[in-house]
Amino acid sequence: QVQLVQSGAEVKKPGASVKVSCKASGYTFTRHYIHWVRQAPGRGLEWMGLINPSGGSTSYAQNFQGRVTMIRDTSTSTVYMALSGLRSEDTAVYYCAREDFFDTSGYYLYWGQGSLVTVSS
Amino acid sequence: EIVLTQSPGTLSLSPGERATLSCRASQIISSAQLVWYQQKPGQAPRLLIYGASARATGIPDRFSGSGSGTDFTLTISRLEPEDFAVYYCQRYGSPYPFGQGTKLEIK
C-alpha cells in the first residue's frame, strides 16, 4: 500500500534551517510528483511547492522563493524539504502529499502524517 | 493569482441536517481543477471530491460536489457525527491555492 512517512518533530531557533524528509513506499517513486503543504497552528493549508522525483525539477510558491529547497533521493525513495531563515511564523505542521490524476483532474489522495516544526528562541 | 474564498467561516448544524459549503474563486477556473478535502484535528487532510463533483474512493454518497466557473459547492445531505470537521477547497493548478476553510461544528 502507498505510504508517505515523514521525519519527526523538530525545534529550531530563529534564523536556523530545518530539513524534513518524506519517504515513499508502495509505488514507483518516480511516477508521481510530491507536493509540500504546511499548516500553522489553528490556521489553514498553505501550498509550498512541488518536486518531480523523476528529474528533480521543482516549483516553489512565491512566498517561499529563496528560502525553500526540495530535493529527492531516488535510491531511498525519499523527498526532502529544507526551509532556511526560520522565523516564529514558520512554526507549523509540514505535510508531504502525492500528486495523482484522474483524466485531467489532479488531487492529493495520499498524505504524510505531518512533521511539526517549532521555531522558538 | 487566483484566490479561493470559502463561506461561511463556521457552520453550526445538527446531525441529520443538510450542510452547504461554498467556495468562490476570484477568476473562472476549470471544474476539473476544483478539489475538496476534509480535515479533523490532529490528522492530515482527507480527499473527498475532485474534478468539482467526483467522489473519491470510499467517500459516502451523502457528500456531493457541484458548481462551475467561479462558484462551487460541497453538500453533505444528512450530517453524521463524524462529518463535523474543517473543509477546504483547492484549485489544483499552480500555485495550488487553498480556501481558508469552513469549520462545520455541532449545534
Side-chain angles (χ1 to χ4, degrees):
Chain A
Q1 74 283 19
V2 175
Q3 282 192 301
L4 299 174
V5 178
Q6 298 184 223
S7 49
E10 304 253 19
V11 179
K12 296 292 183 182
K13 293 197 182 301
S17 298
V18 69
K19 192 174 185 179
V20 180
S21 67
C22 171
K23 182 174 177 58
S25 61
Y27 71 98
T28 302
F29 176 63
T30 53
R31 288 190 179 174
H32 296 265
Y33 286 23
I34 294 290
H35 295 230
W36 288 88
V37 174
R38 78 174 184 180
Q39 185 170 40
R43 306 293 295 273
L45 303 169
E46 181 179 22
W47 185 76
M48 298 182 68
L50 63 83
I51 182 167
N52 175 357
S54 178
S57 60
T58 57
S59 176
Y60 303 139
Q62 193 166 4
N63 285 351
F64 298 98
Q65 289 277 0
R67 284 209 303 145
V68 71
T69 303
M70 297 176 189
I71 62 173
R72 94 293 189 210
D73 181 345
T74 56
S75 68
T76 60
S77 299
T78 302
V79 169
Y80 298 89
M81 186 283 298
L83 190 62
S84 62
L86 290 170
R87 34 204 189 231
S88 58
E89 311 89 88
D90 294 317
T91 293
V93 175
Y94 290 76
Y95 293 102
C96 60
R98 192 184 89 165
E99 175 176 280
D100 278 274
F101 275 92
F102 181 83
D103 196 9
T104 59
S105 297
Y107 48 82
Y108 307 136
L109 177 59
Y110 298 102
W111 294 72
Q113 82 276 20
S115 299
L116 175 62
V117 174
T118 302
V119 183
S120 173
S121 55
Chain B
E1 184 171 309
I2 292 175
V3 175
L4 299 181
T5 302
Q6 292 185 241
S7 61
T10 302
L11 185 57
S12 300
L13 293 170
S14 301
E17 291 193 292
R18 180 184 187 90
T20 303
L21 287 66
S22 172
C23 176
R24 178 163 289 176
S26 58
Q27 303 172 39
I28 292 174
I29 63 174
S30 167
S31 297
Q33 295 181 313
L34 200 285
V35 187
W36 289 94
Y37 301 93
Q38 175 195 68
Q39 189 180 33
K40 296 181 180 179
Q43 297 183 15
R46 174 195 184 196
L47 175 67
L48 294 177
I49 301 284
Y50 61 92
S53 60
R55 268 189 306 277
T57 302
I59 301 303
D61 60 8
R62 64 180 181 273
F63 290 89
S64 63
S66 63
S68 63
T70 60
D71 292 308
F72 299 88
T73 301
L74 175 69
T75 301
I76 310 172
S77 58
R78 288 177 54 86
L79 285 166
E80 296 287 342
E82 61 268 27
D83 298 337
F84 292 91
V86 180
Y87 292 83
Y88 294 96
C89 60
Q90 182 194 26
R91 183 246 183 169
Y92 203 85
S94 186
Y96 303 88
F98 289 90
Q100 82 279 19
T102 289
K103 181 179 181 180
L104 178 55
E105 64 176 24
I106 299 177
K107 188 174 182 179

